Amino acid sequence: MPKRDHISMSVVRRLPRYYRFLSELRDKGVVRISSRELSIKMGLTASQIRQDLNCFGGFGQQGYGYLVDQLQKEIGNILGLSHSYRAILIGAGNLGRAVATHMSFEARGFTMTGIFDKNPSLIGGEIRGIKVLPIDQLESFCRQNKPDMAVLCVPRDSVAQLAEGMYALGIKNYWNFSHYDLTIRHSDVIVENVHMSDSLMTLCYRISEKNKD
Amino acid sequence: MPKRDHISMSVVRRLPRYYRFLSELRDKGVVRISSRELSIKMGLTASQIRQDLNCFGGFGQQGYGYLVDQLQKEIGNILGLSHSYRAILIGAGNLGRAVATHMSFEARGFTMTGIFDKNPSLIGGEIRGIKVLPIDQLESFCRQNKPDMAVLCVPRDSVAQLAEGMYALGIKNYWNFSHYDLTIRHSDVIVENVHMSDSLMTLCYRISEKNKD
DNA sequence: TAGATTGTTAATCGATTAACAATC
DNA sequence: TAGATTGTTAATCGATTAACAATC
């Protein structure tokens, strides 16, 4: 389906945003949109939108624009959201719980299949209908369920070693919230590091710059 | 202090990451580092690091490198982390609690001064020693305490209207977790939208691409 | 057909990298 | 002084924007 065989990361990082805007338009019942109208809503140029979409295919109709519903679905497919990759959560504290309950994994290509913690007071509890298991059951769980991805909501000091072990159990993909830039030297590993506090510091910078004037 | 008067956003977005890496090195007791060594750790080029830093000043010593402790402090100052902007949290649910407890606001230029919710079962509770107040006390609180920034952890449908009201109460800066791209037309407003699920979708894309081969 | 808007190529702009002179 | 490494300029690369022919 892709017209080009390699897509630049800056385009990829814009796809989820296109997906969100189109989903919202579709929910509002908007049938058709031109690159120009969309560009105004999203704060991009019409050129860029057409350029981006054309990395993957010609989804529009000349003289008419794009069908919102169809384009939203196409981008969902490009993102692979109809997959159902098996995810597990490591760390059922405040942050883990928030991530597990706030993200609709199902709508984003994943199913949550297991939750683990080492804190006895959390073990046995339930999050979204899934029991929190002790971390020492991780190995047998992985053998049985072969999860595709792990959400890491553990303290920063434990994450490197933990990921090491999980890689040995066959987990190759990580969504990492641990405030530590996880890098794994294996070429088949994908890590998405999320650093919420980077965004807070950037906000601090921008406020400070503004206040200088 | 800045050598150039306008700094590109791509440089700004890298500053928190420099800050984190340097903090870690300092904590490990590393005294001195060259752009080349740092570039290897961070996965950047040495050129880029020198270029980035020189937007703000000559922090290094030719023939020697950079003093880790000093450079970390300089970047902290550039980011404005020694400020103590007054922040409030709107929405004390799962996500709000996680954000409030997981971010050390104090180390990032902010102090948490108030927490608000409309859910009676949350009101009166405490998060990090701060009482959760009913949202209808927001107005009087703002008059008294003049918060600089609001962390928005509310459902996506309520955020636009809420922010509208908060702007009227004098709040100009927003850290928005509400799954909605908040845009406010006033020129003195700064919004940092955080979309964690964008990162999840990007991960889904990358996994799907990898699995194609 | 005329009007609109895409898909795509070409031009521009900005960000990254390379190179090297300055200097510790 | 020689060696190392910065600060800075110049070259390259890639991403964004502009323009326009294709076509619905």
Side-chain angles (χ1 to χ4, degrees):
Chain A
M1 181 176 300
K3 287 170 78 176
R4 305 186 192 167
D5 56 330
H6 206 64
I7 308 293
S8 91
M9 210 53 194
S10 37
V11 175
V12 171
R13 296 256 169 227
R14 277 193 294 271
L15 289 178
R17 192 149 178 270
Y18 285 123
Y19 185 76
R20 282 191 284 110
F21 272 79
L22 288 162
S23 300
E24 190 176 339
L25 287 166
R26 195 211 45 194
D27 291 350
K28 279 187 188 158
V30 179
V31 172
R32 185 225 132 233
I33 197 159
S34 69
S35 57
R36 190 176 138 66
E37 291 168 287
L38 188 57
S39 75
I40 293 165
K41 287 194 189 297
M42 294 187 63
L44 302 169
T45 64
S47 247
Q48 180 161 63
I49 291 176
R50 293 203 300 276
Q51 196 76 274
D52 284 349
L53 297 179
N54 273 94
C55 294
F56 303 98
F59 300 135
Q61 265 178 272
Q62 278 159 327
Y64 177 77
Y66 300 88
L67 285 165
V68 171
D69 182 65
Q70 181 204 307
L71 185 57
Q72 187 258 7
K73 285 195 177 71
E74 291 280 10
I75 294 176
N77 286 335
I78 292 162
L79 286 166
L81 303 187
S82 53
H83 286 279
S84 212
Y85 296 120
R86 289 176 298 278
I88 58 174
L89 168 65
I90 314 291
N94 255 310
L95 183 60
R97 271 200 308 281
V99 170
T101 50
H102 253 77
M103 301 293 117
S104 74
F105 283 87
E106 306 70 34
R108 311 248 174 311
F110 298 90
T111 349
M112 185 60 77
T113 59
I115 301 179
F116 298 85
D117 206 295
K118 65 174 185 189
N119 183 343
S121 74
L122 296 172
I123 292 165
E126 276 203 3
I127 299 172
R128 284 204 155 203
I130 299 172
K131 262 228 173 77
V132 180
L133 300 176
I135 190 79
D136 54 26
Q137 286 182 26
L138 182 61
E139 187 168 348
S140 69
F141 182 93
C142 287
R143 259 200 304 274
Q144 265 197 285
N145 298 281
K146 307 231 169 297
D148 302 295
M149 187 271 273
V151 185
L152 305 175
C153 293
V154 298
R156 56 170 281 132
D157 299 317
S158 49
V159 75
Q161 204 191 341
L162 179 72
E164 191 67 35
M166 297 183 78
Y167 180 79
L169 296 174
I171 302 176
K172 306 279 170 70
N173 307 297
Y174 300 91
W175 197 27
N176 174 36
F177 286 82
S178 73
H179 297 224
Y180 176 83
D181 267 67
L182 186 60
T183 41
I184 303 190
R185 66 243 111 263
H186 308 282
S187 66
D188 56 349
V189 166
I190 294 172
V191 180
E192 278 279 321
N193 289 304
V194 179
H195 288 284
M196 294 190 297
S197 58
D198 283 12
S199 145
L200 184 60
M201 289 193 262
T202 304
L203 180 59
C204 186
Y205 173 85
R206 295 172 67 197
I207 295 173
S208 305
E209 283 303 299
K210 177 173 69 173
N211 290 349
K212 276 186 185 168
D213 311 331
Chain B
M1 178 177 300
K3 288 169 78 177
R4 307 186 191 166
D5 56 331
H6 205 67
I7 308 292
S8 90
M9 211 52 195
S10 37
V11 175
V12 170
R13 296 257 169 224
R14 276 194 294 272
L15 289 178
R17 191 149 179 270
Y18 285 123
Y19 185 77
R20 283 191 283 110
F21 272 80
L22 288 162
S23 299
E24 190 177 338
L25 287 166
R26 194 211 47 194
D27 291 349
K28 279 188 188 157
V30 178
V31 173
R32 187 226 129 231
I33 196 159
S34 69
S35 57
R36 190 176 137 65
E37 292 168 286
L38 188 57
S39 75
I40 292 166
K41 286 194 190 297
M42 294 188 63
L44 302 170
T45 65
S47 246
Q48 180 161 60
I49 291 175
R50 294 204 298 279
Q51 196 77 275
D52 283 349
L53 297 179
N54 273 92
C55 294
F56 303 98
F59 300 134
Q61 266 179 272
Q62 277 158 328
Y64 177 77
Y66 300 88
L67 286 165
V68 170
D69 183 64
Q70 183 203 308
L71 185 56
Q72 188 258 6
K73 285 196 178 68
E74 291 280 8
I75 295 177
N77 286 333
I78 292 162
L79 285 166
L81 303 187
S82 54
H83 287 279
S84 215
Y85 296 120
R86 289 177 297 278
I88 57 174
L89 168 65
I90 314 292
N94 255 311
L95 183 60
R97 272 200 307 280
V99 170
T101 51
H102 254 76
M103 302 292 116
S104 75
F105 284 87
E106 306 70 33
R108 311 253 175 306
F110 298 89
T111 350
M112 185 59 75
T113 60
I115 301 179
F116 298 86
D117 206 297
K118 64 174 184 186
N119 182 343
S121 74
L122 296 172
I123 292 164
E126 275 203 3
I127 299 173
R128 286 203 152 204
I130 299 172
K131 263 229 173 75
V132 180
L133 300 176
I135 191 76
D136 55 26
Q137 287 182 28
L138 181 60
E139 186 166 347
S140 70
F141 182 94
C142 287
R143 259 200 304 274
Q144 265 198 286
N145 298 281
K146 306 230 170 296
D148 302 295
M149 187 271 274
V151 185
L152 305 176
C153 294
V154 297
R156 56 168 282 135
D157 298 318
S158 49
V159 75
Q161 203 192 342
L162 179 71
E164 190 68 35
M166 299 183 76
Y167 180 80
L169 297 174
I171 302 176
K172 304 279 170 72
N173 307 297
Y174 300 91
W175 196 27
N176 173 36
F177 285 82
S178 73
H179 297 222
Y180 176 83
D181 267 68
L182 187 60
T183 41
I184 302 189
R185 66 243 111 261
H186 308 281
S187 65
D188 57 348
V189 165
I190 294 173
V191 180
E192 278 279 321
N193 289 303
V194 179
H195 288 283
M196 295 191 297
S197 59
D198 282 12
S199 146
L200 184 59
M201 290 192 261
T202 304
L203 181 57
C204 185
Y205 173 86
R206 294 172 68 197
I207 295 174
S208 305
E209 284 302 300
K210 178 173 67 172
N211 290 351
K212 276 187 189 169
D213 311 335

